[in-house]
Amino acid sequence: MKKRLLSGLLAAVLVLGLAPAALAAAPAEDEAAQVLAALDIMVGDSDGNLELGRAVTRAEFTKMAVAASTSRDAVGDTVPVKPYPDVPQTYWAAPWIKAAVDLGLVQGDLRGYFNPTQTITLAEGVTIVLRLLGYPDSAFTGVWPSGQMAQYKALKLNEGVSCAANDAMTRRDALYLFYNLLITKNTSGVYHLNVLEPARNLVSQTGTLDRVALVNSAMEGPVVAGSGWQSQVPFDVSGARVYRSGSLSALSAIRDQDVVYWSKSMRTVWAYTNQVTGTYQAASPSASAPTAVTVAGKSYAIETASAAFALSDLGEYRVGDTITLLLGRDGGVAAVSGGAPEGTLLYGVVTAIADAAYDDGAGGAYTARTATVCATDGTAYRYPFDRNDLKVGDLVRVNAVQDGFALKRLTAVKLTGKVSNDGKRLGSYEFADDVEILDTYENCTPIRVYPDRLAGSSLTGSTVRFYVLNAQGEISHLILKDATGDLHQYGVITSVTEVSMGLNTASNYVYDVGGMPQAFSSETTVFNLKVGPCQAKMKGPQSVERLYNLTPVDVETVDGGAVLGTDGKQYTLSETAVYYVRTGSAEYQLSSLARVQAGDYDLTAWYDKPENEGGRIRVIIAD
């Protein structure tokens, strides 16, 4: 169907019965810019500047419109004839203007000229966008552009647009207009972005745009950083925005063997630093066509054809070899290198010791004593070892040696200090940008925590087990002992039996965690506990060391991740807090935050320890 941009009067009438997109408010400018850049609809100059305050020309808007059409990938670099007398074949936008003419999106003025450098009004831009959505000019009667502007508002295409119908549009107005177009349904009831990307359905039924999936689709690569890697990226990365390991960074921060992705339209580079070194134990489903590899007891999907070849029976690595996997953004293997890098591979805590079978790489197998190490990155690795003094719970450092790996048991390195409120330093030491922090307790499965979780906490020699400084004097690795309390379980004690008469001392407690009743007892000790919220302090995944009562706070409001007490203080709500409705003095029903907030309840919150010691609100009771 042909659609044309008219500079004179056009027919106009409001088309009824089509659902507008569910837009509550304009998106953030950066978000809209990122989306349009990922789709190559609006990109900046060579320095990435979008010049959003500048008026947009008819040629620029036309290029954006074609880039937002289903013909966006069919536009060539040249045209056989000039589209208009004032648009020569050599003009930069000639191919886009010709494509727009063919699509029926635009036409010239009454004299037959296109006026490519003239600014475009909002009404003219809206007319083009409505044509992209499938609205023919004949759908509108009356004086142009009244019908088009009414439909523009009905569809909420106006979110974030600040100019009036006859005003010249700025590039910022165009940014929002095209973003809104993407999450607006066309005359067939399909969101426009889903028309452009039919295989991915990037806009949900509720009109929510999946920006993560969109940016993923715009990413290319990877390439492994090293000598000359920048020449493999199809644009000058010197002015690009750079992210390293998920944080905004600089090009100079990228190191050899980082795995790098890029988007030319977004002028962005992403670098990832994750590496795993260990024994090549298996290829799946076979060495002839591997799609996954097992190294150090963990399986990794293979992301690139080059990595698959290197690990296949045609490549250079064999089962039994010591190799280093370079992992991409999804944790898949992007590249492989032989041997192990010099220096320390990881720090962690031993969580299990057992005999394990290994392939010797020559068709046979052998058994070796193997330690499972939970590293400070939160991942469990398995390494064979030959020393006799290693035990579960030991802190270890894993180093690569000529014939494999060496596990060195570490002695405690204590540290006392307060973590700054912004989570960027501990005492006098800064945290490295890629700091790895592990919280441990007895035989519980350790958990990785992040600096923000520790913000404002005071750490002592009893909570800091070990730390390492990098070459810049920053903390790069930190191993804690029960600094957060997040390793334990939380619920309510529903029954207390305590006996202390002469030599006869015993106790039994029934408590609920996650809706499941459990028991804890002692034949020698009374813990002086009460019915109510509790912490089940764990000494292993299924083993309780003892129970503790929690401390109450009367609740004024619960808002997001915070609890405001009637004492006027604000308390941080644990991400794993549990909720109960009390139906009797010792009767509790597991509930949810939404339910207790919606009901007519008096709320009481319970915390395990003060917030400056890492405590959180763990349980909320609704009465």
Side-chain angles (χ1 to χ4, degrees):
M1 180 181 298
K2 297 291 186 181
K3 310 174 187 70
R4 298 176 298 172
L5 171 60
L6 302 181
S7 55
L9 299 179
L10 294 177
V13 71
L14 178 62
V15 175
L16 303 176
L18 295 168
L23 289 176
E29 188 175 286
D30 285 349
E31 176 183 335
Q34 187 181 57
V35 168
L36 264 60
L39 292 165
D40 210 12
I41 294 173
M42 178 184 283
V43 296
D45 59 20
S46 58
D47 295 323
N49 185 2
L50 290 174
E51 299 182 285
L52 296 179
R54 177 173 62 78
V56 62
T57 68
R58 288 166 56 87
E60 290 172 331
F61 193 91
T62 300
K63 187 268 182 187
M64 295 177 202
V66 175
S69 77
T70 54
S71 296
R72 57 190 175 142
D73 296 325
V75 179
D77 295 328
T78 60
V79 289
V81 295
K82 58 183 181 180
Y84 289 97
D86 56 347
V87 181
Q89 293 165 266
T90 55
Y91 186 60
W92 70 268
W96 300 96
I97 294 171
K98 177 64 166 60
V101 172
D102 293 341
L103 289 168
L105 295 177
V106 301
Q107 75 171 30
D109 61 19
L110 297 178
R111 298 183 300 120
Y113 289 90
F114 186 73
N115 306 306
T117 59
Q118 182 178 308
T119 58
I120 191 169
T121 67
L122 175 63
E124 292 170 330
V126 165
T127 302
I128 293 176
V129 165
L130 290 175
R131 288 168 179 163
L132 283 169
L133 289 170
Y135 291 88
D137 296 342
S138 59
F140 302 95
T141 59
V143 178
W144 179 84
S146 59
Q148 282 85 346
M149 296 306 296
Q151 186 69 353
Y152 154 76
K153 293 176 182 177
L155 293 173
K156 296 188 178 179
L157 289 165
N158 60 332
E159 297 288 352
V161 179
S162 60
C163 63
N166 295 320
D167 291 343
M169 296 178 66
T170 65
R171 287 174 60 84
R172 179 174 287 103
D173 294 324
L175 173 80
Y176 282 114
L177 181 58
F178 279 106
Y179 180 90
N180 296 337
L181 163 69
L182 297 172
I183 51 177
T184 299
K185 289 181 178 179
N186 64 15
T187 54
S188 299
V190 181
Y191 288 108
H192 187 70
L193 181 54
N194 291 344
V195 174
L196 300 181
E197 301 282 346
R200 282 191 281 270
N201 281 323
L202 295 171
V203 182
S204 70
Q205 293 181 352
T206 60
T208 302
L209 192 152
D210 188 344
R211 191 154 51 111
V212 172
L214 176 61
V215 173
N216 281 343
S217 68
M219 292 175 71
E220 299 182 68
V223 63
V224 176
S227 178
W229 72 269
Q230 296 183 29
S231 65
Q232 300 179 60
V233 178
F235 64 96
D236 182 4
V237 298
S238 60
R241 175 174 291 189
V242 176
Y243 292 89
R244 189 169 188 263
S245 297
S247 299
L248 190 63
S249 187
L251 191 63
S252 59
I254 296 179
R255 299 288 181 263
D256 286 355
Q257 294 203 318
D258 281 359
V259 177
V260 180
Y261 302 80
W262 66 85
S263 169
K264 182 178 180 180
S265 61
M266 297 174 66
R267 294 190 58 79
T268 302
V269 170
W270 297 267
Y272 295 87
T273 64
N274 292 341
Q275 300 181 10
V276 173
T277 299
T279 303
Y280 179 5
Q281 295 172 309
S284 301
S286 67
S288 61
T291 59
V293 60
T294 301
V295 169
K298 183 175 174 61
S299 183
Y300 301 87
I302 297 173
E303 179 179 334
T304 63
S306 60
F309 183 86
L311 294 165
S312 74
D313 55 5
L314 301 175
E316 58 188 301
Y317 304 114
R318 296 290 178 268
V319 169
D321 289 349
T322 297
I323 59 175
T324 296
L325 306 179
L326 309 183
L327 305 182
R329 69 179 303 269
D330 293 323
V333 182
V336 187
S337 64
E342 294 182 4
T344 300
L345 299 180
L346 56 85
Y347 295 91
V349 59
V350 177
T351 58
I353 294 177
D355 290 333
Y358 293 87
D359 192 320
D360 65 4
Y366 65 95
T367 300
R369 200 70 171 152
T370 300
T372 300
V373 178
C374 183
T376 49
D377 65 1
T379 303
Y381 303 96
R382 296 196 315 170
Y383 293 99
F385 70 99
D386 57 6
R387 50 190 301 155
N388 297 320
D389 61 341
L390 208 58
K391 63 182 185 299
V392 172
D394 282 347
L395 300 179
V396 292
R397 181 180 69 209
V398 181
N399 287 82
V401 296
Q402 185 174 3
D403 297 326
F405 308 94
L407 276 68
K408 177 178 174 58
R409 193 169 76 179
L410 301 171
T411 56
V413 180
K414 300 294 186 178
L415 179 63
T416 298
K418 180 181 178 181
V419 179
S420 60
N421 291 331
D422 60 6
K424 292 185 176 181
R425 61 187 304 117
L426 167 55
S428 59
Y429 296 111
E430 297 280 348
F431 283 128
D433 288 341
D434 55 354
V435 63
E436 296 178 356
I437 306 173
L438 196 69
D439 199 10
T440 68
Y441 187 74
E442 300 297 335
N443 294 328
C444 297
T445 301
I447 58 172
R448 183 175 183 180
V449 297
Y450 294 86
D452 284 351
R453 173 62 182 88
L454 303 173
S457 298
S458 295
L459 302 181
T460 66
S462 63
T463 52
V464 176
R465 299 181 66 184
F466 187 81
Y467 71 97
V468 179
L469 301 181
N470 62 18
Q472 290 73 43
E474 303 165 327
I475 296 176
S476 60
H477 301 78
L478 180 64
I479 301 178
L480 306 173
K481 181 179 180 181
D482 199 21
T484 63
D486 296 344
L487 290 156
H488 307 304
Q489 297 180 358
Y490 297 89
V492 289
I493 297 173
T494 57
S495 173
V496 174
T497 303
E498 296 180 336
V499 177
S500 182
M501 298 178 61
L503 298 177
N504 187 12
T505 302
S507 58
N508 183 72
Y509 309 93
V510 178
Y511 66 100
D512 177 288
V513 170
M516 299 294 294
Q518 303 180 51
F520 174 73
S521 61
S522 172
E523 297 180 356
T524 60
T525 305
V526 168
F527 296 103
N528 297 314
L529 297 175
K530 300 177 181 179
V531 169
C534 69
Q535 176 195 68
K537 195 161 193 174
M538 309 301 291
K539 59 182 178 181
Q542 304 296 327
S543 179
V544 177
E545 182 177 279
R546 62 162 291 183
L547 301 180
Y548 294 87
N549 282 128
L550 301 180
T551 303
V553 174
D554 289 331
V555 175
E556 183 71 33
T557 60
V558 180
D559 184 14
V563 170
L564 178 63
T566 56
D567 57 4
K569 297 180 181 179
Q570 184 167 290
Y571 301 81
T572 302
L573 181 65
S574 170
E575 294 177 355
T576 57
V578 291
Y579 307 87
Y580 291 89
V581 173
R582 179 158 44 196
T583 57
S585 60
E587 298 178 358
Y588 298 86
Q589 291 181 344
L590 188 67
S591 188
S592 67
L593 177 59
R595 183 186 171 200
V596 301
Q597 284 182 316
D600 184 19
Y601 296 111
D602 291 325
L603 304 182
T604 307
W606 301 73
Y607 62 85
D608 55 331
K609 54 185 177 180
E611 197 155 326
N612 64 0
E613 297 176 16
R616 291 290 186 266
I617 297 294
R618 303 291 183 174
V619 179
I620 290 183
I621 302 296
D623 289 299

